Amino acid sequence: MATDINESVEIQISTLPWEQIAVDAFVCPTNSEGVMSHFPANKIRDLAGREVEALVKEHTPLAIGAAFVTPAGKMKAKYLIHVPNTDRPGGRVQVEDVLRATAAVLVACKVKGFTSVAVPLMGAFELGIPAEEAARAIHSELKVYRGDRPLRAFLMAKDADDVEVFELAMEGNIP
């Protein structure tokens, strides 16, 4: 699988089960209301524990482009970085929303001193954008990361289709 490295960030694809990747933080794409009812947020809620959703809802509404960090509960990741990419549960997602959400992840990593982060394909479900566009947006934001310390970013592929779109984004082969 593809790996993309510069002096500030190493990006690689992971097919590990989400609850098994040992990172500082796992990204939880959500909505401004903090309702974790749609994939991938509902999967992360089930893996981490339902109390995570209540922690986020106490601090809503969250703007698209903001991030909120909680413990990751039962997951091997230490923390979850909740980033809205739509205003409401099941709402329409645009490429710009995925870009802003990914940028918010990077700010949270810098502020919290995280050196490793796992990012699922976000924004490419139901009323979302095509997976290829989402993967390209996530990769392009990660690629320009410049932090005080290097960051290892894992693009979390749930299946062969996710692996393929992440590889294409990393190779720059998406039109």
Side-chain angles (χ1 to χ4, degrees):
M1 277 187 263
T3 300
D4 196 352
I5 302 172
N6 67 35
E7 71 270 355
S8 295
V9 66
E10 175 185 342
I11 305 166
Q12 60 188 30
I13 299 168
S14 175
T15 56
L16 282 173
W18 293 3
E19 70 276 13
Q20 292 182 13
I21 190 158
V23 289
D24 291 332
F26 197 102
V27 173
C28 181
T30 189
N31 52 72
S32 295
E33 297 173 18
V35 176
M36 299 172 77
S37 58
H38 291 76
F39 187 85
N42 61 352
K43 177 179 178 173
I44 294 167
R45 178 198 61 211
D46 293 345
L47 294 172
R50 293 196 168 267
E51 61 278 358
V52 167
E53 185 173 24
L55 292 173
V56 176
K57 285 174 128 183
E58 290 177 16
H59 298 278
T60 59
L62 295 172
I64 296 172
F68 184 72
V69 178
T70 66
K74 300 177 224 167
M75 296 175 72
K76 277 195 177 177
K78 295 174 189 153
Y79 298 96
L80 294 175
I81 303 174
H82 304 266
V83 289
N85 60 18
T86 184
D87 290 330
R88 64 188 190 297
R92 182 162 297 282
V93 177
Q94 303 294 326
V95 172
E96 295 79 16
D97 302 327
V98 175
L99 289 166
R100 291 192 334 227
T102 307
V105 166
L106 296 173
V107 169
C109 287
K110 281 183 187 180
V111 168
K112 296 290 188 179
F114 297 156
T115 59
S116 58
V117 63
V119 185
L121 187 59
M122 60 178 149
F125 307 99
E126 295 175 35
L127 295 176
I129 57 178
E132 295 82 5
E133 290 182 31
R136 185 176 52 214
I138 294 165
H139 178 259
S140 68
E141 281 298 312
L142 292 173
K143 184 82 176 151
V144 297
Y145 173 80
R146 297 293 180 262
D148 299 334
R149 57 185 72 145
L151 179 68
R152 289 186 73 200
F154 297 92
L155 301 173
M156 300 304 296
K158 67 177 178 3
D159 56 29
D161 290 339
D162 283 5
V163 170
E164 183 178 3
V165 297
F166 280 138
E167 284 178 339
L168 290 171
M170 291 171 74
E171 295 165 4
N173 292 332
I174 296 176

